[in-house]
């Protein structure tokens, strides 16, 4: 990525997504070395805004080594520094620039599940503070060969894809995201007047209660790029079946052709044609992992196909996704879990969504 784009990217993340202000404690987490130009520009803008930025870096190999060699005691240990950061930071900015996104593909699934359960309080605290408005955060990526290869693109093609998905090709990306935000809020306002959602499609007919829950519009505030509207359904309400035709990626592993049946909110039958053992291990992680934590509708029409990166894939225009596991407090969700696995379904091939039995969405498009 060249300087003018990096400058615009950093500006959106600092001044639009997280609104960094004077006196803010800003933790910048960078996974991988290649994002250095973007991290440096973010750091500079935070300083110019009068904030107190701190940079934390990590390597892909560290996670692999940890899961391979850690004892049960070490897997369940939460360090005090991580607790302190999530309790004290005003802003968290996460930049992913992985050199290998498959580094955990062959990791011990039991150990992955154990560590995810143990670290759940950190995630829960971040979501709690975010829901109360006490802390802002955003996740973004920097183009690397690993991300490009997973998306079956060259690095140049992937860079252009990222720029396009984020509207960084425009002179003023923030202005465009404000326009998107207005439309997302319009749709969320309509959905917030309803109490039941039914999704129908290929091998799919599933219903959720959203009574008392909030639909949240997403337009670059916590994810970048963005483009979805989500809620956390009533925990015991999911009823029916759903089939996920897209590959479902989590922690570097993939499950394909996933089919799940829900009764009283809980996944009671589930199977994947490929990656079934991994699917079962993740859904059996803890008490909350077989309940739905999120139902969402992707709205970013500049993203049209899966890339193997959930930050982009869950935003695909013409898709929906549900997340098994942890729900979102700001949507009214109460489900607790160490899992939050977003599973994506294509809706452009005849998919329909009904709100209170009224057709509101068909073939990947809202019709309201």
């Amino acid at each position: 990525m060249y300087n003018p784009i990096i400058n615009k990217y950093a500006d959106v993340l600092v001044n639009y997504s997280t609104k960094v202000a004077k006196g803010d404690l800003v933790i910048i987490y960078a996974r991988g070395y290649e994002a250095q130009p973007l991290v440096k520009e973010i750091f500079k803008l935070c300083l110019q805004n009068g904030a107190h930025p701190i940079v934390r870096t990590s390597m892909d190999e560290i996670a692999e080594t940890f899961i391979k060699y850690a004892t049960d005691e070490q897997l369940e240990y939460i360090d005090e520094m991580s607790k302190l950061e999530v309790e004290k930071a005003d802003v968290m900015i996460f930049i992913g620039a992985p050199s290998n996104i498959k580094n955990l593909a062959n990791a011990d699934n039991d150990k992955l599940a154990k560590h995810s359960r143990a670290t759940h309080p950190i995630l829960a605290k971040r979501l709690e503070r975010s829901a109360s408005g006490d802390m802002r955060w955003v996740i973004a990526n920097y183009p690397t060969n690993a991300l490009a290869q997973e998306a079956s693109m060259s690095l140049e093609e992937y860079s252009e894809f990222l720029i396009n998905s984020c509207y960084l090709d425009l002179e003023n990306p923030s202005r465009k995201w404000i326009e998107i935000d207005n439309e997302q809020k319009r749709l969320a306002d309509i959905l917030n007047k309803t109490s039941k959602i039914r999704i129908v499609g290929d091998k799919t007919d599933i219903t959720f209660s959203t009574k008392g829950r909030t639909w949240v519009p997403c337009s670059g505030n916590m994810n970048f790029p963005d483009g979805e509207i989500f809620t956390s359904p009533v925990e015991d309400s999911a009823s029916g079946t759903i089939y996920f035709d897209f590959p479902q990626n989590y922690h570097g592993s993939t499950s394909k052709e996933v089919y799940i049946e829900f009764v009283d909110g809980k996944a009671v039958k589930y199977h994947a044609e490929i990656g079934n053992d991994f699917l079962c291990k993740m859904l059996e992680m803890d008490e909350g992992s077989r309940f739905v934590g999120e139902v969402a509708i992707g709205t970013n029409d500049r993203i049209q196909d899966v890339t193997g990166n959930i930050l982009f894939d869950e935003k695909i225009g013409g898709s929906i996704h549900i997340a098994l596991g942890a729900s979102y407090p700001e949507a009214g969700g109460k489900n607790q879990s160490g899992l939050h696995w977003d599973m994506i379904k294509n809706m452009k091939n005849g998919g329909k969504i009904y709100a209170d039995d009224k057709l509101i969405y068909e073939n990947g498009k809202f019709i309201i």
Side-chain angles (χ1 to χ4, degrees):
M1 297 180 78
Y2 49 93
N3 284 340
I5 293 294
I6 290 173
N7 294 345
K8 282 197 285 187
Y9 201 176
D11 179 71
V12 174
L13 295 175
V14 171
N15 292 315
Y16 171 76
S17 298
T18 57
K19 298 175 177 60
V20 173
K22 182 177 176 61
D24 280 344
L25 173 60
V26 182
I27 312 293
I28 305 166
Y29 295 94
R31 175 190 171 189
Y33 302 114
E34 294 180 61
Q36 181 180 345
L38 178 59
V39 171
K40 181 181 177 181
E41 185 65 19
I42 291 170
F43 186 79
K44 183 186 78 174
L45 290 179
C46 288
L47 289 173
Q48 290 176 337
N49 285 10
H52 307 291
I54 299 172
V55 176
R56 299 279 186 259
T57 61
S58 65
M59 300 176 288
D60 294 329
E61 295 83 359
I62 292 297
E64 180 182 3
T65 301
F66 177 73
I67 295 299
K68 184 175 182 178
Y69 293 104
T71 64
D72 284 351
E73 179 185 357
Q74 290 167 326
L75 288 167
E76 294 175 344
Y77 175 76
I78 305 299
D79 69 274
E80 294 300 317
M81 295 306 297
S82 294
K83 291 180 184 178
L84 187 64
E85 287 181 350
V86 80
E87 290 170 356
K88 298 297 183 182
D90 298 296
V91 174
M92 289 183 167
I93 299 175
F94 301 87
I95 305 298
S99 58
N100 180 1
I101 65 171
K102 298 294 187 183
N103 61 311
L104 293 176
N106 295 316
D108 185 314
N109 291 334
D110 287 323
K111 297 178 79 172
L112 278 172
K114 187 183 291 287
H115 186 57
S116 292
R117 285 195 300 270
T119 56
H120 172 64
I122 299 292
L123 172 62
K125 187 65 176 178
R126 174 157 61 90
L127 295 178
E128 175 191 323
R129 293 192 63 217
S130 173
S132 69
D134 194 35
M135 188 257 285
R136 291 98 65 201
W137 58 274
V138 68
I139 300 173
N141 279 169
Y142 189 86
T144 64
N145 278 308
L147 291 172
Q149 288 166 351
E150 183 67 12
S152 300
M153 300 180 193
S154 69
L155 181 59
E156 182 177 352
E157 289 171 335
Y158 189 82
S159 297
E160 291 174 355
F161 163 73
L162 185 150
I163 290 167
N164 190 57
S165 301
C166 297
Y167 293 93
L168 297 175
D169 57 317
L170 303 183
E171 183 178 348
N172 190 333
S174 294
R175 183 182 300 159
K176 178 61 178 180
W177 284 106
I178 291 170
E179 292 176 9
I180 293 170
D181 187 56
N182 290 333
E183 172 62 7
Q184 302 281 69
K185 286 177 177 176
R186 182 187 74 85
L187 295 170
D189 286 344
I190 294 172
L191 290 170
N192 280 326
K193 295 180 175 70
T194 66
S195 59
K196 184 177 74 171
I197 290 292
R198 180 185 175 203
I199 299 172
V200 179
D202 181 25
K203 304 175 191 174
T204 297
D205 193 339
I206 188 168
T207 302
F208 306 90
S209 171
T210 58
K211 187 176 182 180
R213 301 301 165 91
T214 301
W215 284 89
V216 180
C218 300
S219 45
N221 300 113
M222 289 179 283
N223 286 188
F224 203 80
D226 217 333
E228 66 171 299
I229 304 166
F230 76 86
T231 192
S232 290
V234 175
E235 283 69 27
D236 63 356
S237 70
S239 177
T241 58
I242 186 165
Y243 169 71
F244 298 98
D245 40 4
F246 285 141
Q248 310 304 321
N249 301 290
Y250 190 71
H251 280 322
S253 294
T254 302
S255 296
K256 295 182 179 180
E257 297 186 51
V258 175
Y259 178 87
I260 306 178
E261 179 181 344
F262 291 90
V263 175
D264 295 331
K266 188 174 185 178
V268 294
K269 295 181 182 178
Y270 36 93
H271 179 77
E273 290 299 319
I274 297 174
N276 188 59
D277 288 346
F278 179 74
L279 173 74
C280 293
K281 190 66 67 175
M282 292 300 104
L283 265 61
E284 293 159 12
M285 178 185 298
D286 54 38
E287 289 298 318
S289 57
R290 280 186 279 170
F291 289 86
V292 177
E294 175 191 10
V295 176
I297 304 167
T299 60
N300 190 328
D301 289 330
R302 287 193 168 195
I303 307 174
Q304 285 295 309
D305 205 355
V306 293
T307 65
N309 182 348
I310 193 61
L311 180 64
F312 292 82
D313 296 350
E314 67 175 0
K315 315 303 190 314
I316 292 172
S319 74
I320 60 98
H321 62 273
I322 71 167
L324 275 297
S327 58
Y328 288 108
E330 65 262 47
K334 299 178 176 64
N335 195 46
Q336 298 285 320
S337 176
L339 183 73
H340 185 90
W341 186 353
D342 294 294
M343 296 189 177
I344 313 156
K345 179 175 180 62
N346 181 18
M347 295 292 284
K348 290 179 281 191
N349 53 359
K352 297 179 181 180
I353 300 176
Y354 297 84
D356 289 347
D357 300 320
K358 177 184 177 181
L359 183 65
I360 63 165
Y361 179 101
E362 188 172 17
N363 290 318
K365 297 287 185 183
F366 279 98
I367 56 174
I368 50 175

